[in-house]
Amino acid sequence: MKNRLKELRAERKWSQVDLAERLNVSRQTINAIENERYDPSLPLAFQIARAFEMPIEDIFDDKES
């Protein structure tokens, strides 16, 4: 699934570790999501959206393009 996680994290000057700690997941999980090797669970996607104060649709794109 395409996502803007890396871009949004960089805008806030958060490291992968910073975001991982906010979400209570590992840095490796953040890395895997950013590199589209792992799609987050729905609860984790909601946590990510809350962390960035954005709708899920503005972070994740499920279109196959």
PDB file of all heavy atoms in Angstrom, residues 7-43:
ATOM      1  N   GLU A   7       7.541  10.944   4.286  1.00  0.00           N
ATOM      2  CA  GLU A   7       7.434  12.380   3.981  1.00  0.00           C
ATOM      3  C   GLU A   7       6.852  13.150   5.184  1.00  0.00           C
ATOM      4  O   GLU A   7       7.383  14.188   5.583  1.00  0.00           O
ATOM      5  CB  GLU A   7       6.536  12.537   2.749  1.00  0.00           C
ATOM      6  CG  GLU A   7       6.056  13.928   2.447  1.00  0.00           C
ATOM      7  CD  GLU A   7       4.951  13.937   1.399  1.00  0.00           C
ATOM      8  OE1 GLU A   7       4.781  12.947   0.655  1.00  0.00           O
ATOM      9  OE2 GLU A   7       4.253  14.945   1.340  1.00  0.00           O
ATOM     10  N   LEU A   8       5.781  12.637   5.743  1.00  0.00           N
ATOM     11  CA  LEU A   8       5.132  13.312   6.872  1.00  0.00           C
ATOM     12  C   LEU A   8       6.029  13.315   8.107  1.00  0.00           C
ATOM     13  O   LEU A   8       6.100  14.305   8.839  1.00  0.00           O
ATOM     14  CB  LEU A   8       3.798  12.631   7.195  1.00  0.00           C
ATOM     15  CG  LEU A   8       2.734  12.736   6.110  1.00  0.00           C
ATOM     16  CD1 LEU A   8       1.563  11.817   6.432  1.00  0.00           C
ATOM     17  CD2 LEU A   8       2.274  14.174   5.942  1.00  0.00           C
ATOM     18  N   ARG A   9       6.725  12.215   8.314  1.00  0.00           N
ATOM     19  CA  ARG A   9       7.639  12.115   9.448  1.00  0.00           C
ATOM     20  C   ARG A   9       8.779  13.122   9.301  1.00  0.00           C
ATOM     21  O   ARG A   9       9.138  13.824  10.257  1.00  0.00           O
ATOM     22  CB  ARG A   9       8.179  10.681   9.522  1.00  0.00           C
ATOM     23  CG  ARG A   9       9.034  10.388  10.706  1.00  0.00           C
ATOM     24  CD  ARG A   9       9.441   8.932  10.757  1.00  0.00           C
ATOM     25  NE  ARG A   9      10.080   8.432   9.558  1.00  0.00           N
ATOM     26  CZ  ARG A   9      11.325   8.729   9.182  1.00  0.00           C
ATOM     27  NH1 ARG A   9      12.063   9.533   9.908  1.00  0.00           N
ATOM     28  NH2 ARG A   9      11.833   8.208   8.079  1.00  0.00           N
ATOM     29  N   ALA A  10       9.312  13.243   8.095  1.00  0.00           N
ATOM     30  CA  ALA A  10      10.405  14.184   7.829  1.00  0.00           C
ATOM     31  C   ALA A  10       9.955  15.631   8.034  1.00  0.00           C
ATOM     32  O   ALA A  10      10.717  16.447   8.581  1.00  0.00           O
ATOM     33  CB  ALA A  10      10.936  13.984   6.415  1.00  0.00           C
ATOM     34  N   GLU A  11       8.726  15.953   7.622  1.00  0.00           N
ATOM     35  CA  GLU A  11       8.199  17.305   7.814  1.00  0.00           C
ATOM     36  C   GLU A  11       8.195  17.697   9.285  1.00  0.00           C
ATOM     37  O   GLU A  11       8.383  18.854   9.638  1.00  0.00           O
ATOM     38  CB  GLU A  11       6.767  17.411   7.278  1.00  0.00           C
ATOM     39  CG  GLU A  11       6.662  17.437   5.782  1.00  0.00           C
ATOM     40  CD  GLU A  11       5.216  17.385   5.301  1.00  0.00           C
ATOM     41  OE1 GLU A  11       4.272  17.440   6.133  1.00  0.00           O
ATOM     42  OE2 GLU A  11       5.017  17.306   4.077  1.00  0.00           O
ATOM     43  N   ARG A  12       7.973  16.724  10.151  1.00  0.00           N
ATOM     44  CA  ARG A  12       7.905  16.974  11.595  1.00  0.00           C
ATOM     45  C   ARG A  12       9.255  16.767  12.279  1.00  0.00           C
ATOM     46  O   ARG A  12       9.361  16.902  13.489  1.00  0.00           O
ATOM     47  CB  ARG A  12       6.840  16.073  12.218  1.00  0.00           C
ATOM     48  CG  ARG A  12       5.440  16.561  11.860  1.00  0.00           C
ATOM     49  CD  ARG A  12       4.417  15.456  12.022  1.00  0.00           C
ATOM     50  NE  ARG A  12       3.087  15.898  11.674  1.00  0.00           N
ATOM     51  CZ  ARG A  12       2.617  16.045  10.447  1.00  0.00           C
ATOM     52  NH1 ARG A  12       3.393  15.789   9.413  1.00  0.00           N
ATOM     53  NH2 ARG A  12       1.380  16.448  10.226  1.00  0.00           N
ATOM     54  N   LYS A  13      10.269  16.408  11.480  1.00  0.00           N
ATOM     55  CA  LYS A  13      11.614  16.144  11.992  1.00  0.00           C
ATOM     56  C   LYS A  13      11.618  15.027  13.034  1.00  0.00           C
ATOM     57  O   LYS A  13      12.367  15.073  14.017  1.00  0.00           O
ATOM     58  CB  LYS A  13      12.245  17.426  12.541  1.00  0.00           C
ATOM     59  CG  LYS A  13      12.466  18.484  11.480  1.00  0.00           C
ATOM     60  CD  LYS A  13      13.100  19.717  12.057  1.00  0.00           C
ATOM     61  CE  LYS A  13      13.493  20.746  11.028  1.00  0.00           C
ATOM     62  NZ  LYS A  13      12.519  21.115  10.036  1.00  0.00           N
ATOM     63  N   TRP A  14      10.758  14.026  12.816  1.00  0.00           N
ATOM     64  CA  TRP A  14      10.712  12.851  13.679  1.00  0.00           C
ATOM     65  C   TRP A  14      11.572  11.766  13.053  1.00  0.00           C
ATOM     66  O   TRP A  14      11.502  11.522  11.848  1.00  0.00           O
ATOM     67  CB  TRP A  14       9.296  12.306  13.801  1.00  0.00           C
ATOM     68  CG  TRP A  14       8.315  13.182  14.515  1.00  0.00           C
ATOM     69  CD1 TRP A  14       8.583  14.299  15.249  1.00  0.00           C
ATOM     70  CD2 TRP A  14       6.894  13.007  14.542  1.00  0.00           C
ATOM     71  NE1 TRP A  14       7.408  14.816  15.732  1.00  0.00           N
ATOM     72  CE2 TRP A  14       6.364  14.051  15.323  1.00  0.00           C
ATOM     73  CE3 TRP A  14       6.026  12.067  13.992  1.00  0.00           C
ATOM     74  CZ2 TRP A  14       5.006  14.179  15.561  1.00  0.00           C
ATOM     75  CZ3 TRP A  14       4.674  12.198  14.227  1.00  0.00           C
ATOM     76  CH2 TRP A  14       4.168  13.241  15.008  1.00  0.00           C
ATOM     77  N   SER A  15      12.353  11.087  13.858  1.00  0.00           N
ATOM     78  CA  SER A  15      13.086   9.915  13.375  1.00  0.00           C
ATOM     79  C   SER A  15      12.124   8.723  13.370  1.00  0.00           C
ATOM     80  O   SER A  15      11.007   8.809  13.914  1.00  0.00           O
ATOM     81  CB  SER A  15      14.267   9.613  14.301  1.00  0.00           C
ATOM     82  OG  SER A  15      13.791   9.174  15.570  1.00  0.00           O
ATOM     83  N   GLN A  16      12.563   7.635  12.770  1.00  0.00           N
ATOM     84  CA  GLN A  16      11.749   6.422  12.824  1.00  0.00           C
ATOM     85  C   GLN A  16      11.554   5.985  14.276  1.00  0.00           C
ATOM     86  O   GLN A  16      10.474   5.534  14.649  1.00  0.00           O
ATOM     87  CB  GLN A  16      12.400   5.294  12.014  1.00  0.00           C
ATOM     88  CG  GLN A  16      12.302   5.501  10.526  1.00  0.00           C
ATOM     89  CD  GLN A  16      12.882   4.347   9.740  1.00  0.00           C
ATOM     90  OE1 GLN A  16      13.640   3.527  10.253  1.00  0.00           O
ATOM     91  NE2 GLN A  16      12.515   4.278   8.473  1.00  0.00           N
ATOM     92  N   VAL A  17      12.581   6.162  15.087  1.00  0.00           N
ATOM     93  CA  VAL A  17      12.490   5.797  16.509  1.00  0.00           C
ATOM     94  C   VAL A  17      11.462   6.684  17.212  1.00  0.00           C
ATOM     95  O   VAL A  17      10.652   6.188  18.002  1.00  0.00           O
ATOM     96  CB  VAL A  17      13.872   5.896  17.198  1.00  0.00           C
ATOM     97  CG1 VAL A  17      13.747   5.737  18.707  1.00  0.00           C
ATOM     98  CG2 VAL A  17      14.816   4.862  16.621  1.00  0.00           C
ATOM     99  N   ASP A  18      11.477   7.988  16.912  1.00  0.00           N
ATOM    100  CA  ASP A  18      10.496   8.905  17.523  1.00  0.00           C
ATOM    101  C   ASP A  18       9.073   8.447  17.238  1.00  0.00           C
ATOM    102  O   ASP A  18       8.240   8.372  18.140  1.00  0.00           O
ATOM    103  CB  ASP A  18      10.660  10.336  16.995  1.00  0.00           C
ATOM    104  CG  ASP A  18      11.966  10.998  17.395  1.00  0.00           C
ATOM    105  OD1 ASP A  18      12.520  10.641  18.453  1.00  0.00           O
ATOM    106  OD2 ASP A  18      12.423  11.879  16.633  1.00  0.00           O
ATOM    107  N   LEU A  19       8.799   8.166  15.972  1.00  0.00           N
ATOM    108  CA  LEU A  19       7.448   7.746  15.595  1.00  0.00           C
ATOM    109  C   LEU A  19       7.107   6.392  16.208  1.00  0.00           C
ATOM    110  O   LEU A  19       6.002   6.195  16.720  1.00  0.00           O
ATOM    111  CB  LEU A  19       7.296   7.706  14.070  1.00  0.00           C
ATOM    112  CG  LEU A  19       5.912   7.319  13.562  1.00  0.00           C
ATOM    113  CD1 LEU A  19       4.821   8.234  14.119  1.00  0.00           C
ATOM    114  CD2 LEU A  19       5.886   7.320  12.037  1.00  0.00           C
ATOM    115  N   ALA A  20       8.050   5.482  16.181  1.00  0.00           N
ATOM    116  CA  ALA A  20       7.827   4.154  16.760  1.00  0.00           C
ATOM    117  C   ALA A  20       7.455   4.263  18.239  1.00  0.00           C
ATOM    118  O   ALA A  20       6.526   3.587  18.703  1.00  0.00           O
ATOM    119  CB  ALA A  20       9.065   3.282  16.577  1.00  0.00           C
ATOM    120  N   GLU A  21       8.159   5.120  18.957  1.00  0.00           N
ATOM    121  CA  GLU A  21       7.861   5.298  20.381  1.00  0.00           C
ATOM    122  C   GLU A  21       6.476   5.891  20.595  1.00  0.00           C
ATOM    123  O   GLU A  21       5.754   5.494  21.508  1.00  0.00           O
ATOM    124  CB  GLU A  21       8.936   6.169  21.046  1.00  0.00           C
ATOM    125  CG  GLU A  21      10.246   5.431  21.214  1.00  0.00           C
ATOM    126  CD  GLU A  21      11.362   6.298  21.763  1.00  0.00           C
ATOM    127  OE1 GLU A  21      11.178   7.539  21.896  1.00  0.00           O
ATOM    128  OE2 GLU A  21      12.438   5.739  22.053  1.00  0.00           O
ATOM    129  N   ARG A  22       6.086   6.834  19.746  1.00  0.00           N
ATOM    130  CA  ARG A  22       4.743   7.431  19.845  1.00  0.00           C
ATOM    131  C   ARG A  22       3.653   6.384  19.627  1.00  0.00           C
ATOM    132  O   ARG A  22       2.566   6.491  20.177  1.00  0.00           O
ATOM    133  CB  ARG A  22       4.574   8.538  18.807  1.00  0.00           C
ATOM    134  CG  ARG A  22       5.358   9.781  19.082  1.00  0.00           C
ATOM    135  CD  ARG A  22       5.268  10.756  17.898  1.00  0.00           C
ATOM    136  NE  ARG A  22       6.153  11.880  18.081  1.00  0.00           N
ATOM    137  CZ  ARG A  22       5.820  13.015  18.674  1.00  0.00           C
ATOM    138  NH1 ARG A  22       4.594  13.184  19.127  1.00  0.00           N
ATOM    139  NH2 ARG A  22       6.687  13.991  18.804  1.00  0.00           N
ATOM    140  N   LEU A  23       3.954   5.402  18.770  1.00  0.00           N
ATOM    141  CA  LEU A  23       2.953   4.398  18.392  1.00  0.00           C
ATOM    142  C   LEU A  23       3.100   3.091  19.174  1.00  0.00           C
ATOM    143  O   LEU A  23       2.304   2.174  18.989  1.00  0.00           O
ATOM    144  CB  LEU A  23       3.058   4.111  16.894  1.00  0.00           C
ATOM    145  CG  LEU A  23       2.840   5.315  15.975  1.00  0.00           C
ATOM    146  CD1 LEU A  23       3.133   4.932  14.533  1.00  0.00           C
ATOM    147  CD2 LEU A  23       1.429   5.860  16.118  1.00  0.00           C
ATOM    148  N   ASN A  24       4.148   3.010  19.980  1.00  0.00           N
ATOM    149  CA  ASN A  24       4.430   1.789  20.749  1.00  0.00           C
ATOM    150  C   ASN A  24       4.648   0.575  19.836  1.00  0.00           C
ATOM    151  O   ASN A  24       4.099  -0.503  20.064  1.00  0.00           O
ATOM    152  CB  ASN A  24       3.324   1.524  21.779  1.00  0.00           C
ATOM    153  CG  ASN A  24       3.780   0.597  22.877  1.00  0.00           C
ATOM    154  OD1 ASN A  24       4.959   0.568  23.226  1.00  0.00           O
ATOM    155  ND2 ASN A  24       2.866  -0.177  23.417  1.00  0.00           N
ATOM    156  N   VAL A  25       5.430   0.796  18.783  1.00  0.00           N
ATOM    157  CA  VAL A  25       5.840  -0.277  17.867  1.00  0.00           C
ATOM    158  C   VAL A  25       7.354  -0.181  17.699  1.00  0.00           C
ATOM    159  O   VAL A  25       7.984   0.754  18.188  1.00  0.00           O
ATOM    160  CB  VAL A  25       5.135  -0.185  16.480  1.00  0.00           C
ATOM    161  CG1 VAL A  25       3.629  -0.321  16.632  1.00  0.00           C
ATOM    162  CG2 VAL A  25       5.496   1.101  15.751  1.00  0.00           C
ATOM    163  N   SER A  26       7.944  -1.121  16.994  1.00  0.00           N
ATOM    164  CA  SER A  26       9.392  -1.088  16.775  1.00  0.00           C
ATOM    165  C   SER A  26       9.754  -0.162  15.612  1.00  0.00           C
ATOM    166  O   SER A  26       8.925   0.133  14.748  1.00  0.00           O
ATOM    167  CB  SER A  26       9.914  -2.500  16.472  1.00  0.00           C
ATOM    168  OG  SER A  26       9.458  -2.918  15.205  1.00  0.00           O
ATOM    169  N   ARG A  27      11.012   0.273  15.619  1.00  0.00           N
ATOM    170  CA  ARG A  27      11.513   1.078  14.500  1.00  0.00           C
ATOM    171  C   ARG A  27      11.440   0.272  13.207  1.00  0.00           C
ATOM    172  O   ARG A  27      11.163   0.800  12.145  1.00  0.00           O
ATOM    173  CB  ARG A  27      12.965   1.515  14.766  1.00  0.00           C
ATOM    174  CG  ARG A  27      13.510   2.397  13.635  1.00  0.00           C
ATOM    175  CD  ARG A  27      15.020   2.384  13.556  1.00  0.00           C
ATOM    176  NE  ARG A  27      15.596   1.070  13.394  1.00  0.00           N
ATOM    177  CZ  ARG A  27      15.684   0.420  12.219  1.00  0.00           C
ATOM    178  NH1 ARG A  27      15.205   0.945  11.110  1.00  0.00           N
ATOM    179  NH2 ARG A  27      16.236  -0.769  12.173  1.00  0.00           N
ATOM    180  N   GLN A  28      11.657  -1.039  13.324  1.00  0.00           N
ATOM    181  CA  GLN A  28      11.602  -1.901  12.144  1.00  0.00           C
ATOM    182  C   GLN A  28      10.199  -1.910  11.529  1.00  0.00           C
ATOM    183  O   GLN A  28      10.060  -1.992  10.306  1.00  0.00           O
ATOM    184  CB  GLN A  28      12.038  -3.330  12.500  1.00  0.00           C
ATOM    185  CG  GLN A  28      13.511  -3.444  12.821  1.00  0.00           C
ATOM    186  CD  GLN A  28      13.867  -3.118  14.274  1.00  0.00           C
ATOM    187  OE1 GLN A  28      13.029  -2.651  15.042  1.00  0.00           O
ATOM    188  NE2 GLN A  28      15.116  -3.353  14.649  1.00  0.00           N
ATOM    189  N   THR A  29       9.171  -1.823  12.360  1.00  0.00           N
ATOM    190  CA  THR A  29       7.801  -1.755  11.851  1.00  0.00           C
ATOM    191  C   THR A  29       7.603  -0.480  11.037  1.00  0.00           C
ATOM    192  O   THR A  29       7.044  -0.513   9.942  1.00  0.00           O
ATOM    193  CB  THR A  29       6.782  -1.812  13.010  1.00  0.00           C
ATOM    194  OG1 THR A  29       6.923  -3.069  13.672  1.00  0.00           O
ATOM    195  CG2 THR A  29       5.355  -1.649  12.514  1.00  0.00           C
ATOM    196  N   ILE A  30       8.085   0.646  11.556  1.00  0.00           N
ATOM    197  CA  ILE A  30       7.966   1.918  10.835  1.00  0.00           C
ATOM    198  C   ILE A  30       8.712   1.827   9.510  1.00  0.00           C
ATOM    199  O   ILE A  30       8.196   2.219   8.458  1.00  0.00           O
ATOM    200  CB  ILE A  30       8.505   3.094  11.686  1.00  0.00           C
ATOM    201  CG1 ILE A  30       7.731   3.229  12.996  1.00  0.00           C
ATOM    202  CG2 ILE A  30       8.475   4.397  10.887  1.00  0.00           C
ATOM    203  CD1 ILE A  30       6.237   3.419  12.859  1.00  0.00           C
ATOM    204  N   ASN A  31       9.918   1.274   9.540  1.00  0.00           N
ATOM    205  CA  ASN A  31      10.712   1.123   8.321  1.00  0.00           C
ATOM    206  C   ASN A  31       9.982   0.256   7.292  1.00  0.00           C
ATOM    207  O   ASN A  31       9.934   0.605   6.104  1.00  0.00           O
ATOM    208  CB  ASN A  31      12.079   0.528   8.667  1.00  0.00           C
ATOM    209  CG  ASN A  31      12.968   0.430   7.467  1.00  0.00           C
ATOM    210  OD1 ASN A  31      12.939  -0.573   6.751  1.00  0.00           O
ATOM    211  ND2 ASN A  31      13.759   1.463   7.235  1.00  0.00           N
ATOM    212  N   ALA A  32       9.406  -0.846   7.738  1.00  0.00           N
ATOM    213  CA  ALA A  32       8.699  -1.749   6.820  1.00  0.00           C
ATOM    214  C   ALA A  32       7.468  -1.083   6.211  1.00  0.00           C
ATOM    215  O   ALA A  32       7.184  -1.266   5.020  1.00  0.00           O
ATOM    216  CB  ALA A  32       8.306  -3.030   7.548  1.00  0.00           C
ATOM    217  N   ILE A  33       6.745  -0.297   7.002  1.00  0.00           N
ATOM    218  CA  ILE A  33       5.574   0.413   6.466  1.00  0.00           C
ATOM    219  C   ILE A  33       6.035   1.446   5.444  1.00  0.00           C
ATOM    220  O   ILE A  33       5.475   1.531   4.347  1.00  0.00           O
ATOM    221  CB  ILE A  33       4.764   1.079   7.598  1.00  0.00           C
ATOM    222  CG1 ILE A  33       4.139   0.029   8.511  1.00  0.00           C
ATOM    223  CG2 ILE A  33       3.662   1.980   7.006  1.00  0.00           C
ATOM    224  CD1 ILE A  33       3.539   0.596   9.796  1.00  0.00           C
ATOM    225  N   GLU A  34       7.056   2.235   5.795  1.00  0.00           N
ATOM    226  CA  GLU A  34       7.547   3.272   4.884  1.00  0.00           C
ATOM    227  C   GLU A  34       8.025   2.693   3.558  1.00  0.00           C
ATOM    228  O   GLU A  34       7.847   3.308   2.504  1.00  0.00           O
ATOM    229  CB  GLU A  34       8.711   4.036   5.526  1.00  0.00           C
ATOM    230  CG  GLU A  34       8.279   4.986   6.599  1.00  0.00           C
ATOM    231  CD  GLU A  34       9.413   5.811   7.174  1.00  0.00           C
ATOM    232  OE1 GLU A  34      10.586   5.621   6.778  1.00  0.00           O
ATOM    233  OE2 GLU A  34       9.108   6.648   8.026  1.00  0.00           O
ATOM    234  N   ASN A  35       8.620   1.515   3.602  1.00  0.00           N
ATOM    235  CA  ASN A  35       9.151   0.890   2.386  1.00  0.00           C
ATOM    236  C   ASN A  35       8.150  -0.060   1.728  1.00  0.00           C
ATOM    237  O   ASN A  35       8.518  -0.825   0.836  1.00  0.00           O
ATOM    238  CB  ASN A  35      10.462   0.180   2.701  1.00  0.00           C
ATOM    239  CG  ASN A  35      11.561   1.181   2.997  1.00  0.00           C
ATOM    240  OD1 ASN A  35      11.933   1.957   2.129  1.00  0.00           O
ATOM    241  ND2 ASN A  35      12.042   1.200   4.223  1.00  0.00           N
ATOM    242  N   GLU A  36       6.899   0.023   2.187  1.00  0.00           N
ATOM    243  CA  GLU A  36       5.775  -0.726   1.604  1.00  0.00           C
ATOM    244  C   GLU A  36       5.996  -2.238   1.611  1.00  0.00           C
ATOM    245  O   GLU A  36       5.518  -2.961   0.752  1.00  0.00           O
ATOM    246  CB  GLU A  36       5.469  -0.203   0.201  1.00  0.00           C
ATOM    247  CG  GLU A  36       5.095   1.266   0.214  1.00  0.00           C
ATOM    248  CD  GLU A  36       4.935   1.879  -1.156  1.00  0.00           C
ATOM    249  OE1 GLU A  36       4.945   1.147  -2.162  1.00  0.00           O
ATOM    250  OE2 GLU A  36       4.804   3.114  -1.218  1.00  0.00           O
ATOM    251  N   ARG A  37       6.720  -2.709   2.626  1.00  0.00           N
ATOM    252  CA  ARG A  37       6.886  -4.152   2.815  1.00  0.00           C
ATOM    253  C   ARG A  37       5.868  -4.705   3.802  1.00  0.00           C
ATOM    254  O   ARG A  37       5.762  -5.911   3.976  1.00  0.00           O
ATOM    255  CB  ARG A  37       8.304  -4.456   3.312  1.00  0.00           C
ATOM    256  CG  ARG A  37       9.380  -4.166   2.285  1.00  0.00           C
ATOM    257  CD  ARG A  37      10.742  -4.703   2.713  1.00  0.00           C
ATOM    258  NE  ARG A  37      11.086  -4.416   4.092  1.00  0.00           N
ATOM    259  CZ  ARG A  37      11.769  -3.350   4.514  1.00  0.00           C
ATOM    260  NH1 ARG A  37      12.185  -2.453   3.649  1.00  0.00           N
ATOM    261  NH2 ARG A  37      12.042  -3.195   5.793  1.00  0.00           N
ATOM    262  N   TYR A  38       5.158  -3.792   4.477  1.00  0.00           N
ATOM    263  CA  TYR A  38       4.189  -4.195   5.495  1.00  0.00           C
ATOM    264  C   TYR A  38       3.042  -3.193   5.509  1.00  0.00           C
ATOM    265  O   TYR A  38       3.277  -1.984   5.511  1.00  0.00           O
ATOM    266  CB  TYR A  38       4.884  -4.217   6.867  1.00  0.00           C
ATOM    267  CG  TYR A  38       3.970  -4.444   8.044  1.00  0.00           C
ATOM    268  CD1 TYR A  38       3.403  -5.692   8.292  1.00  0.00           C
ATOM    269  CD2 TYR A  38       3.673  -3.410   8.923  1.00  0.00           C
ATOM    270  CE1 TYR A  38       2.565  -5.899   9.379  1.00  0.00           C
ATOM    271  CE2 TYR A  38       2.852  -3.605  10.019  1.00  0.00           C
ATOM    272  CZ  TYR A  38       2.298  -4.853  10.237  1.00  0.00           C
ATOM    273  OH  TYR A  38       1.472  -5.059  11.312  1.00  0.00           O
ATOM    274  N   ASP A  39       1.819  -3.699   5.457  1.00  0.00           N
ATOM    275  CA  ASP A  39       0.637  -2.851   5.593  1.00  0.00           C
ATOM    276  C   ASP A  39       0.195  -2.892   7.049  1.00  0.00           C
ATOM    277  O   ASP A  39       0.017  -3.975   7.612  1.00  0.00           O
ATOM    278  CB  ASP A  39      -0.513  -3.345   4.698  1.00  0.00           C
ATOM    279  CG  ASP A  39      -0.227  -3.150   3.230  1.00  0.00           C
ATOM    280  OD1 ASP A  39       0.567  -2.256   2.882  1.00  0.00           O
ATOM    281  OD2 ASP A  39      -0.810  -3.899   2.413  1.00  0.00           O
ATOM    282  N   PRO A  40       0.021  -1.722   7.662  1.00  0.00           N
ATOM    283  CA  PRO A  40      -0.359  -1.718   9.073  1.00  0.00           C
ATOM    284  C   PRO A  40      -1.764  -2.264   9.277  1.00  0.00           C
ATOM    285  O   PRO A  40      -2.606  -2.188   8.376  1.00  0.00           O
ATOM    286  CB  PRO A  40      -0.292  -0.236   9.457  1.00  0.00           C
ATOM    287  CG  PRO A  40      -0.540   0.482   8.178  1.00  0.00           C
ATOM    288  CD  PRO A  40       0.092  -0.379   7.104  1.00  0.00           C
ATOM    289  N   SER A  41      -2.000  -2.796  10.462  1.00  0.00           N
ATOM    290  CA  SER A  41      -3.356  -3.206  10.829  1.00  0.00           C
ATOM    291  C   SER A  41      -4.228  -1.955  10.864  1.00  0.00           C
ATOM    292  O   SER A  41      -3.722  -0.825  10.939  1.00  0.00           O
ATOM    293  CB  SER A  41      -3.341  -3.864  12.209  1.00  0.00           C
ATOM    294  OG  SER A  41      -2.969  -2.902  13.189  1.00  0.00           O
ATOM    295  N   LEU A  42      -5.524  -2.140  10.838  1.00  0.00           N
ATOM    296  CA  LEU A  42      -6.437  -1.004  10.897  1.00  0.00           C
ATOM    297  C   LEU A  42      -6.245  -0.203  12.194  1.00  0.00           C
ATOM    298  O   LEU A  42      -6.152   1.036  12.135  1.00  0.00           O
ATOM    299  CB  LEU A  42      -7.880  -1.468  10.723  1.00  0.00           C
ATOM    300  CG  LEU A  42      -8.912  -0.366  10.512  1.00  0.00           C
ATOM    301  CD1 LEU A  42      -8.541   0.554   9.363  1.00  0.00           C
ATOM    302  CD2 LEU A  42     -10.284  -0.983  10.280  1.00  0.00           C
ATOM    303  N   PRO A  43      -6.147  -0.855  13.357  1.00  0.00           N
ATOM    304  CA  PRO A  43      -5.908  -0.066  14.574  1.00  0.00           C
ATOM    305  C   PRO A  43      -4.606   0.746  14.507  1.00  0.00           C
ATOM    306  O   PRO A  43      -4.566   1.898  14.934  1.00  0.00           O
ATOM    307  CB  PRO A  43      -5.855  -1.112  15.684  1.00  0.00           C
ATOM    308  CG  PRO A  43      -6.672  -2.249  15.163  1.00  0.00           C
ATOM    309  CD  PRO A  43      -6.400  -2.277  13.674  1.00  0.00           C
TER     310      PRO A  43
END
